């Protein structure tokens, strides 16, 4: 499968632009006084609307707010020059074939996309990839006659959201909904300009919520829909059955580049947060807690005495960070953030990012099987052949835990640090190799550093052996350093060997 972003371009016809590339709950801060004045209606859908049989009233309400966006980019192409053409003697007798011009040739690339008017004074939401790199941006209103020049107010590649501004008096602004209240199965319409044919409306349902891990942008919590979305729909509107804007169409999952019923939209709650920050601050500032987190698996839930796999497991706490000052510790499981349940690690990352730096937040955590509440003041996210000497093989250690059978460990000396590019401040037992039939196969890999066994610190291979011997069981909880980050891993040996 390939992920296609939905801007289209080309001089003669619309072409597909491919790019292989965390929304969120409602914002947990009050809007700045100078934020754009938008109309919000967050009431649930009324029964009469749900029972409607025609979509025309919805289209009439929302379509005037959806615009076509045309961009132009100047691209320089180098001119091929034969070496002897620059020879002064050659030019003396034969002249200069370029008439003294040595600059690269320049051509103009045109592309198209869609956008949504969100304020009467001309603020427009679209995708970053629709306008990125453009030298000229024009916006055509829904009447397809009024064309306006637009300027970029700000862009946020991490969410693929951009904000434009046009000047034309009072414009038809769309009403914003609450994307957190959208439910799977709700009717939605996609409005945009696919393939440059003009404004087009397609209908479908919300197929899923909270889609992430797609590799499209850094912060993903997409609304998935089967409403037909095609190239040129980028930046267009995803509206609910009352015509309220609930998402900005962004990408499709497709084998061919055309619609196959799997489209993704940035939830309007996230887009609105980004818009307000770009307009009021000129940039998007994101909250910073200072933890490395990981999902809670069934095995980890059992080890940490959890009822289920909800929450985010803290695998590392950055020194002097807001998390450290709040008293968070490695092994804590964050269940709630500011009174809202944390479904998984990605969800927590999104909530922290969308909370203003300086905000005081509450964290409900589970530590050693007991719940407690902590308070943190968020900061601002910063702009983002091995020798076996000293090592030993686990099978040679009788009486040790079977969970590490087949794992060769070594000490973090100069040679192992150089081989695996390990920092000097990381101490533990270095994994040299893992046998394919080992219980740890797939969970550990060469270069990993085991820093804890069953919540006990280990500084080298011998200490790791002693800690595992004390365990004398089929199951171990390891804290491991890998690729610059800490994570928890559960290793369990089969009951019968």
């Amino acid at each position: 499968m390939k992920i296609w972003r939905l801007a289209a371009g080309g001089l003669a016809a619309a072409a597909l632009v491919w790019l292989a590339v965390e929304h969120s709950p409602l914002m947990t801060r009050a809007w700045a006084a100078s934020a754009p004045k938008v109309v919000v209606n967050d009431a649930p859908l009324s029964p009469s609307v749900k029972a409607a049989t025609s979509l025309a009233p919805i289209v009439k309400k929302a379509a005037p707010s959806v615009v076509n966006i045309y961009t132009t980019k100047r691209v320089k192409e180098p001119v091929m020059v034969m070496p002897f053409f620059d020879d002064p003697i050659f030019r003396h007798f034969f002249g200069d074939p370029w008439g003294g011009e040595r600059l690269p040739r320049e051509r103009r690339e045109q592309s198209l996309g869609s956008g949504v008017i969100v304020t009467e004074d001309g603020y427009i939401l679209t995708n970053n990839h629709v306008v990125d790199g453009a030298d000229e941006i024009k916006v055509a209103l829904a009447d397809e006659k009024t064309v306006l020049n637009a300027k970029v107010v700000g862009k946020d590649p991490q969410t693929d959201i951009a904000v434009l501004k046009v000047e034309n008096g009072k414009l038809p602004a769309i009403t914003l909904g609450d994307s957190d209240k959208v439910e799977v199965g709700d009717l939605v319409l996609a409005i945009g300009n696919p393939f440059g044919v003009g404004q087009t409306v397609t209908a479908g349902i919300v197929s899923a919520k909270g889609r992430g891990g797609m590799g499209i942008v850094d912060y993903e919590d997409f609304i998935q829909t089967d409403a037909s979305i095609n190239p040129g729909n980028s930046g267009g509107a995803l509206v609910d059955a009352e015509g309220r804007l609930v998402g900005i169409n962004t990408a499709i999952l497709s084998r061919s580049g055309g619609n196959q019923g799997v489209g993704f939209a940035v939830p309007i709650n996230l887009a609105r947060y980004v818009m307000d920050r770009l307009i009021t601050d000129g940039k998007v500032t994101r909250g910073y807690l200072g933890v490395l987190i990981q999902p809670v698996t069934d095995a980890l839930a059992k080890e940490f005495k959890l009822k289920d796999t909800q929450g985010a497991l803290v695998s590392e706490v950055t020194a002097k960070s807001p998390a450290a000052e709040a008293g968070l510790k490695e092994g804590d499981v964050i269940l709630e953030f500011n009174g809202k349940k944390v479904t998984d690690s990605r969800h927590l990352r999104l909530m922290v990012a969308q909370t203003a730096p300086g905000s005081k937040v509450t964290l409900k955590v589970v530590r050693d099987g007991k719940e407690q509440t902590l308070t943190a003041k968020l900061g601002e996210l910063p702009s983002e052949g091995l020798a076996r000497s000293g090592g030993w093989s686990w099978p040679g250690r009788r009486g040790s835990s079977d969970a590490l059978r087949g794992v060769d460990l070594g000490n973090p000396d100069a040679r192992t640090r150089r081989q695996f590019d390990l920092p000097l401040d990381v101490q533990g037992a270095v994994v040299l190799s893992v046998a394919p039939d080992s219980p740890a196969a797939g969970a550990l890999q060469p270069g990993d550093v085991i820093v804890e066994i069953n919540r006990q610190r280990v500084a080298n291979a011998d200490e790791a052996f002693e800690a595992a011997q004390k365990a004398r069981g089929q199951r171990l909880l390891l804290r491991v350093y890998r690729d610059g980050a800490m994570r928890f891993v559960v290793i369990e040996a089969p009951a019968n060997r």
Side-chain angles (χ1 to χ4, degrees):
M1 281 289 194
K2 292 182 179 178
I3 294 173
W4 298 78
R5 279 182 170 168
L6 304 170
L11 291 174
L16 303 181
V17 178
W18 176 85
L19 179 58
V21 231
E22 176 168 241
H23 163 253
S24 77
L26 281 172
M27 311 319 155
T28 55
R29 65 179 299 275
W31 301 112
S34 57
K37 295 181 179 179
V38 298
V39 179
V40 178
N41 178 355
D42 61 358
L45 291 176
S46 64
S48 61
V49 170
K50 287 183 177 289
T53 58
S54 174
L55 304 179
I58 308 171
V59 177
K60 289 177 181 179
K61 183 177 181 180
S65 304
V66 182
V67 301
N68 299 337
I69 297 177
Y70 301 90
T71 65
T72 302
K73 181 189 301 186
R74 294 177 179 85
V75 180
K76 292 183 178 181
E77 294 181 328
V79 177
M80 297 299 293
V81 179
M82 299 300 291
F84 56 84
F85 285 170
D86 278 338
D87 188 290
I89 297 178
F90 176 88
R91 285 188 279 114
H92 174 76
F93 287 104
F94 299 99
D96 189 339
W98 287 279
E101 180 65 40
R102 287 291 184 272
L103 296 175
R105 290 183 299 181
E106 191 174 77
R107 64 181 176 87
R108 293 163 65 88
E109 275 189 357
Q110 294 179 328
S111 63
L112 58 88
S114 305
V116 190
I117 302 170
V118 293
T119 65
E120 291 183 345
D121 58 345
Y123 282 107
I124 296 173
L125 276 173
T126 187
N127 286 141
N128 172 70
H129 75 264
V130 170
V131 299
D132 190 36
D135 298 305
E136 184 180 48
I137 304 172
K138 291 188 177 296
V139 169
L141 302 187
D143 61 13
E144 299 185 358
K145 297 177 181 179
T146 307
V147 180
L148 307 171
N149 291 321
K151 67 175 182 179
V152 177
V153 176
K155 300 182 295 183
D156 183 40
Q158 292 178 291
T159 55
D160 198 19
I161 290 296
V163 180
L164 307 181
K165 184 69 164 63
V166 296
E167 304 293 341
N168 193 49
K170 189 175 181 179
L171 292 171
I174 200 167
T175 297
L176 276 60
D178 180 354
S179 51
D180 284 347
K181 294 181 180 178
V182 171
E183 297 182 351
V184 174
D186 280 353
L187 174 71
V188 286
L189 305 183
I191 310 176
N193 181 23
F195 299 112
V197 300
Q199 191 178 89
T200 302
V201 180
T202 57
I205 63 169
V206 173
S207 305
K209 291 182 62 180
R211 289 295 192 214
M214 311 300 297
I216 303 173
V217 289
D218 291 337
Y219 293 94
E220 298 181 345
D221 197 24
F222 293 121
I223 298 172
Q224 181 183 326
T225 179
D226 65 347
S228 292
I229 298 175
N230 286 289
N233 273 111
S234 275
L238 188 72
V239 302
D240 66 13
E242 289 191 5
R244 300 174 295 190
L245 183 66
V246 295
I248 301 296
N249 298 323
T250 296
I252 57 176
L253 192 64
S254 174
R255 296 184 186 275
S256 63
N259 173 68
Q260 291 186 318
V262 185
F264 302 103
V266 177
I268 191 57
N269 290 357
L270 172 66
R272 181 183 172 189
Y273 174 79
V274 171
M275 176 181 69
D276 282 356
R277 300 284 61 74
L278 290 174
I279 294 173
T280 60
D281 304 333
K283 63 177 181 177
V284 180
T285 54
R286 294 183 165 90
Y288 169 69
L289 187 57
V291 292
L292 287 175
I293 51 179
Q294 66 181 91
V296 180
T297 64
D298 289 332
L300 288 171
K302 185 176 181 180
E303 288 296 324
F304 287 94
K305 303 176 183 178
L306 304 174
K307 299 178 182 178
D308 50 40
T309 58
Q310 296 286 306
L313 174 59
V314 177
S315 55
E316 184 176 356
V317 177
T318 303
K320 300 180 180 180
S321 68
E325 293 176 359
L328 272 171
K329 296 181 179 180
E330 291 88 356
D332 286 349
V333 179
I334 302 175
L335 300 179
E336 291 185 8
F337 178 84
N338 240 14
K340 296 183 179 181
K341 290 186 177 181
V342 176
T343 56
D344 54 32
S345 56
R346 182 175 58 85
H347 188 206
L348 176 62
R349 181 171 180 258
L350 285 164
M351 288 195 289
V352 173
Q354 292 174 65
T355 306
S359 300
K360 287 187 176 180
V361 298
T362 57
L363 302 167
K364 180 184 284 188
V365 305
V366 172
R367 180 182 299 169
D368 299 327
K370 298 179 180 179
E371 290 188 2
Q372 57 181 284
T373 300
L374 305 174
T375 300
K377 183 178 180 180
L378 298 184
E380 181 175 341
L381 184 68
S383 295
E384 288 210 46
L386 185 63
R388 297 298 181 94
S389 59
W392 47 273
S393 179
W394 204 271
R397 299 285 191 165
R398 295 184 178 275
S400 62
S401 169
D402 284 342
L404 289 183
R405 172 175 48 84
V407 178
D408 291 346
L409 299 178
N411 292 324
D413 54 21
R415 302 179 73 174
T416 56
R417 291 188 188 279
R418 188 166 54 249
Q419 176 69 20
F420 294 116
D421 193 24
L422 302 174
L424 293 175
D425 59 344
V426 175
Q427 300 293 327
V430 183
V431 176
L432 306 180
S433 68
V434 183
D437 61 346
S438 168
L444 294 178
Q445 63 187 39
D448 286 351
V449 182
I450 300 174
V451 299
E452 287 182 7
I453 296 180
N454 286 356
R455 310 303 296 275
Q456 177 184 335
R457 286 274 186 173
V458 296
N460 50 47
D462 286 330
E463 290 187 9
F465 165 67
E466 292 175 3
Q469 263 199 327
K470 290 179 182 178
R472 287 186 176 277
Q474 304 295 110
R475 185 185 185 95
L476 292 178
L477 173 65
L478 309 180
R479 187 161 173 256
V480 176
Y481 172 89
R482 179 188 297 170
D483 296 332
M486 295 289 183
R487 67 190 67 198
F488 285 97
V489 175
V490 175
I491 308 295
E492 187 168 10
N496 298 311
R497 288 181 50 192

